[in-house]
């Protein structure tokens, strides 16, 4: 059976981290490995991670001594794991109990035959976990590669997050950039969308995406503009090939 890992990346998420980790531990189809990559937190997160790792042999703590940034922290953790398949989660989000099972059921028929990506809908929540909206994402499973890449490039509507994908496909896409403090996820997904792969929707809500403020998304508007432009610049050749 393929070895599957959840890569949970966190930085100063202590108020939410225990819930995030518990949601991964409680999956109806268990992960064989749970990597918790802490990016030099100073809020007590590291003590929590050590304690939980002592009680659950599946947990692999990765405790950075200096802050690397979201892209490098997540990318290095993924590259270091020996898992065949990976799923990501942020340290302030929550994974629905059946997410892993539903996404694995969606991609398993393709395992060993073709690259496949499993993804789910997303529930948006406030800082306290109350639902504020939903992203229905099943249309991405019906798109061909050019349509999907064009959709991702325009960023006019939500795109999948926390997908289940083969590690070799992650590496083929180049992984998360280390030098982007914002939009490193968009940059990666753009490159991923341009690779031949089957995208399969799980049919459920998989992630509860907490918008709690105080994170990189609260950077000044000028910073958002700057790094969006940087992502477009580094993917200009890919974007130029898309149909008008």
């Amino acid at each position: 059976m393929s070895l599957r890992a959840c890569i949970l990346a966190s930085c100063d998420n202590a108020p939410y981290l225990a819930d995030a980790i518990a949601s991964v531990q409680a999956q109806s189809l268990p992960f064989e490995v749970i990597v918790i990559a802490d990016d030099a937190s100073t809020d007590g997160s590291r003590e929590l991670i050590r304690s939980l790792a002592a009680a659950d042999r599946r947990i692999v703590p990765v405790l950075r001594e200096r802050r690397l940034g979201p892209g490098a922290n997540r990318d290095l953790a993924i590259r270091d794991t020996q898992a065949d398949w990976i799923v990501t989660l942020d340290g302030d989000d929550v994974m629905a109990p059946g997410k892993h099972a539903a996404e694995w059921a969606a991609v398993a028929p393709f395992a060993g035959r073709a690259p496949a990506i499993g993804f789910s809908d997303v529930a948006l929540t406030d800082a306290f976990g109350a639902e504020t909206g939903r992203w229905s994402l099943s249309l991405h499973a019906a798109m061909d590669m050019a349509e999907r890449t064009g959709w991702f490039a325009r960023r006019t509507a939500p795109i999948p997050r926390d997908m289940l994908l083969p590690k070799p496909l992650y590496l083929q896409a180049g992984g998360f950039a280390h030098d982007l403090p914002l939009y490193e996820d968009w940059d990666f997904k753009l490159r991923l969308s341009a690779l031949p792969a089957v995208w399969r929707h799980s049919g459920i809500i998989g992630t509860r995406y907490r918008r709690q403020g105080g994170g990189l998304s609260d950077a000044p508007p000028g910073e958002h503009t700057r790094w969006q432009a940087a992502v477009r610049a580094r993917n200009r050749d890919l974007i130029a090939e898309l149909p008008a």
Side-chain angles (χ1 to χ4, degrees), residues 8-232:
L8 194 156
S10 182
C11 181
D12 289 333
N13 289 138
Y16 314 107
L17 184 58
D19 286 345
I21 297 171
S23 75
V24 178
Q25 291 175 302
Q27 289 297 295
S28 59
L29 176 65
F31 287 103
E32 289 88 358
V33 179
I34 302 171
V35 179
I36 306 176
D38 179 84
D39 199 15
S41 293
T42 59
D43 63 351
S45 295
R46 297 160 80 83
E47 291 74 18
L48 172 65
I49 294 167
R50 289 190 185 99
S51 173
L52 293 173
D56 187 339
R57 62 178 179 79
R58 296 176 298 162
I59 293 179
V60 178
V62 178
L63 307 177
R64 311 290 183 197
E65 295 303 322
R66 63 181 182 86
R67 192 154 295 181
L68 302 181
N73 181 41
R74 188 180 291 112
D75 178 67
L76 293 174
I78 292 171
R79 290 178 185 274
D80 285 345
T81 184
Q82 298 303 305
D84 305 297
W85 293 75
I86 58 162
V87 176
T88 60
L89 187 73
D90 289 345
D92 55 352
D93 294 335
V94 171
M95 188 177 287
K99 179 182 187 295
H100 185 207
E103 291 178 355
W104 180 244
V107 302
F110 300 91
R113 297 195 297 114
I117 297 170
F119 66 100
S120 301
D121 291 340
V122 175
L124 311 178
T125 77
D126 63 18
F128 304 101
E131 189 170 323
T132 59
R134 292 187 179 184
W135 291 348
S136 296
L137 300 169
S138 60
L139 76 167
H140 291 285
M143 296 178 182
D144 63 27
M145 187 169 64
E147 289 174 318
R148 189 178 301 110
T149 302
W151 192 288
F152 282 27
R154 289 188 293 273
R155 291 191 77 250
T156 53
I159 60 179
R161 58 180 291 127
D162 305 320
M163 301 93 73
L164 171 66
L165 67 156
K167 183 179 174 183
L169 188 63
Y170 173 85
L171 297 175
Q172 186 182 354
F176 290 99
H178 292 205
D179 58 343
L180 288 172
L182 291 172
Y183 297 103
E184 79 288 343
D185 56 339
W186 177 37
D187 173 65
F188 167 68
K189 290 171 190 174
L190 255 178
R191 289 181 272 112
L192 180 67
S193 71
L195 295 177
V198 178
W199 288 66
R200 298 281 291 175
H201 186 252
S202 71
I204 68 167
I205 292 174
T207 302
R208 294 182 66 81
Y209 172 31
R210 193 188 309 266
R211 292 178 156 180
Q212 40 95 0
L216 290 175
S217 60
D218 288 336
E223 286 296 289
H224 286 272
T225 300
R226 173 189 177 188
W227 294 111
Q228 286 178 18
V231 170
R232 291 190 175 96

